[in-house]
Amino acid sequence: MNDYWNHNTAYHPELLASVPHHTSRVLDVGCGDGLLLQKLAARTKHVTGIDPDATALSQARARFSIPSETRFILGDFLTSPELDTQRFDLITCVATLHHMPLIPALERMRDLLNPGGQLRVVGLAANKTIPDWVISGFLLVPIRLMSKAHRESGYPDMMTARPAESFTEIREAAARTLPGSRVRRRFYYRYTLAWTRPHSS
Ligand SMILES: C[S@@+](CC[C@H](N)C(=O)[O-])C[C@H]1O[C@@H](n2cnc3c(N)ncnc32)[C@H](O)[C@@H]1O
């Protein structure tokens, strides 16, 4: 599947707009079949994707038929030693944070950023409170209509998981781990988390 639209790819344009410049070092955590990686590689040549799913990673590699500087790491973001010595200007993470323990994942993202580097997460949260359920209920029909309008293609065959934390729990964890971060509820049953690593930390 080359290009497609779904509730995750809907946020690709704003992630691409976060690439600081054409020499930025970018990491996509849980790159899956590599659609975002492919788009990022058009903005900067220093792009790395990590995913523990060998099938998804081989699909990602197949997107880069010409020799490319894009790096692919088959492994777990939390423990991959290949990442330990690297630092990035932008880390993206789409529909993947809920596959990992929340605080350790946020801490590792924080630690792998250069000073001034940016973290951009598009995530899923669990409905736990009455406002969570009410908001989801109100969004149901408009989201269905938008999905039809965009001819939502469904989701590629990648590892999925149910989110464990609610939006409020994620916002609290982010406030503790990444002071100054911005966590917002977004339209397609997603939240976005944005943080810039201070130059002084
Ligand atoms: C729902 S898919 C999303 C893939 C892609 N980011 C997208 O937006 O289409 C979640 C991805 O997270 C990956 N994943 C799960 N645990 C991971 C971990 N510990 N480190 C890195 N990636 C992980 C899965 O293999 C899967 O490809």
Side-chain angles (χ1 to χ4, degrees):
M1 213 181 311
N2 197 22
D3 199 358
Y4 52 87
W5 186 96
N6 63 33
H7 296 171
N8 300 321
T9 67
Y11 297 97
H12 284 184
E14 62 191 73
L15 299 175
L16 295 173
S18 302
V19 178
H21 45 78
H22 67 281
T23 56
S24 302
R25 293 172 52 79
V26 180
L27 172 68
D28 187 34
V29 178
C31 64
D33 71 357
L35 179 56
L36 178 58
L37 272 189
Q38 187 179 27
K39 296 176 184 174
L40 288 166
R43 304 272 173 135
T44 172
K45 57 184 180 174
H46 304 292
V47 176
T48 300
I50 182 166
D51 204 292
D53 179 341
T55 307
L57 207 69
S58 68
Q59 290 168 346
R61 279 183 211 277
R63 290 181 180 276
F64 295 82
S65 47
I66 49 167
S68 125
E69 295 190 35
T70 303
R71 292 193 56 221
F72 304 90
I73 302 175
L74 177 64
D76 182 337
F77 170 68
L78 291 171
T79 55
S80 168
E82 280 184 70
L83 290 176
D84 289 346
T85 53
Q86 299 190 45
R87 294 296 175 268
F88 297 92
D89 304 305
L90 172 66
I91 296 178
T92 56
C93 181
V94 179
T96 297
L97 185 55
H98 64 288
H99 287 255
M100 301 180 279
L102 179 60
I103 301 250
L106 291 178
E107 287 173 342
R108 182 133 163 99
M109 290 172 187
R110 176 194 67 197
D111 296 344
L112 291 177
L113 280 173
N114 281 320
Q118 300 177 60
L119 172 62
R120 295 280 183 273
V121 175
V122 176
L124 285 77
N127 283 342
K128 290 191 182 176
T129 64
I130 291 174
D132 293 338
W133 285 106
V134 169
I135 291 167
S136 291
F138 272 117
L139 287 175
L140 185 69
V141 172
I143 288 179
R144 285 225 173 129
L145 291 174
M146 290 302 285
S147 297
K148 262 207 156 125
H150 282 284
R151 296 165 194 250
E152 183 181 20
S153 66
Y155 289 78
D157 190 17
M158 286 184 283
M159 204 190 289
T160 56
R162 278 184 181 276
E165 290 91 4
S166 67
F167 175 78
T168 307
E169 290 165 340
I170 292 161
R171 185 178 252 176
E172 285 169 0
R176 281 200 305 279
T177 318
L178 310 169
S181 54
R182 186 164 190 230
V183 184
R184 290 194 292 152
R185 286 186 201 265
R186 302 295 296 270
F187 184 69
Y188 293 109
Y189 304 124
R190 298 292 182 267
Y191 68 86
T192 52
L193 184 165
W195 184 70
T196 303
R197 181 173 178 161
H199 282 276
S200 54
S201 73

